[in-house]
Amino acid sequence: MAQFFTVHPENPQARLLKQAVQLLNQGNVLAVPTDSSYALVCHLDDKNAADQLRRIRGVDDKHHLTLLCRDLSELANYARVDNQQFRAIKQATPGPFTFILEATKEVPRRVSHPQRKTIGLRVPDHTVLQALLALHAAPLLAATLIMPSEDLPLNDPEEIRERLEHHVGAVIDAGACSLEPTTVIDMSGDETQVLRRGQGDPALLGL
């Protein structure tokens, strides 16, 4: 049975988020708010939790999962970026952008793309999620909370609990999120490409 943490969207209660971090450390998948939509998150180093996250989403190992980072210094530990890429990313973070980047050896091979050795990374602009990341003191592995065969992410915390109460350890309720996804920017090749246009304006990156 999933726990349900109702937190203030601008001043989240630390005691509740600490309980959520304990659940992450125990191998649970959580449903959390972000600056784009609700997402599923788990501990980066927990294979069973990552497998459970993929089962809920109905995706295989070729689906890019995303690392949610607190800031750019953390992002640089997990992705290889040159100075020009770093400056471009800095213009757009924190915010609703996901960057596809070449993964470093800090990223477990089982969570990077099996052929391309890439990973999605982003720095979210959401008070509750940033507070959770700070208490967790490490990036979280994430995927947008879209159910198999559905097109839109779940956005109502009560509905999320009702549908996933036997599949996630907790739902963090900070109110409704946007339903517009992140803009996905692929920087892993010779040329930077916009793979998906969402909330983030590619013009911030000169695209």
Side-chain angles (χ1 to χ4, degrees), residues 58-167:
V59 297
D60 61 18
D61 63 354
K62 294 180 181 61
H63 179 88
H64 265 116
L65 299 178
T66 298
L67 283 184
L68 299 176
C69 300
R70 284 175 290 178
D71 53 38
L72 288 183
S73 64
E74 201 169 65
L75 181 149
N77 291 330
Y78 296 92
R80 292 186 175 89
V81 291
D82 60 28
N83 289 336
Q84 184 178 355
Q85 290 171 325
F86 186 86
R87 285 194 296 271
I89 293 170
K90 189 175 181 180
Q91 295 294 320
T93 55
F97 288 86
T98 299
F99 299 96
I100 306 300
L101 299 163
E102 182 184 354
T104 67
K105 292 182 179 179
E106 296 295 318
V107 178
R109 290 182 64 185
R110 56 185 169 71
V111 301
S112 60
H113 191 282
Q115 278 85 45
R116 298 176 59 200
K117 308 301 183 229
T118 50
I119 187 75
L121 289 107
R122 82 182 193 94
V123 180
D125 186 14
H126 191 283
T127 301
V128 173
L129 183 51
Q130 278 287 350
L132 182 69
L133 288 168
L135 287 169
H136 183 58
L140 288 170
L141 194 63
T144 305
L145 210 176
I146 301 174
M147 299 301 287
S149 75
E150 296 184 14
D151 296 324
L152 292 175
L154 298 181
N155 196 38
D156 180 346
E158 293 282 359
E159 182 187 359
I160 293 170
R161 176 166 68 166
E162 183 178 315
R163 295 183 63 177
L164 294 179
E165 65 176 345
H166 298 297
H167 303 282

Side-chain angles (χ1 to χ4, degrees), residues 11-26:
N11 188 24
Q13 301 91 315
R15 62 179 179 82
L16 297 179
L17 295 184
K18 286 177 182 176
Q19 292 178 49
V21 169
Q22 286 183 333
L23 291 170
L24 288 166
N25 291 336
Q26 291 165 4

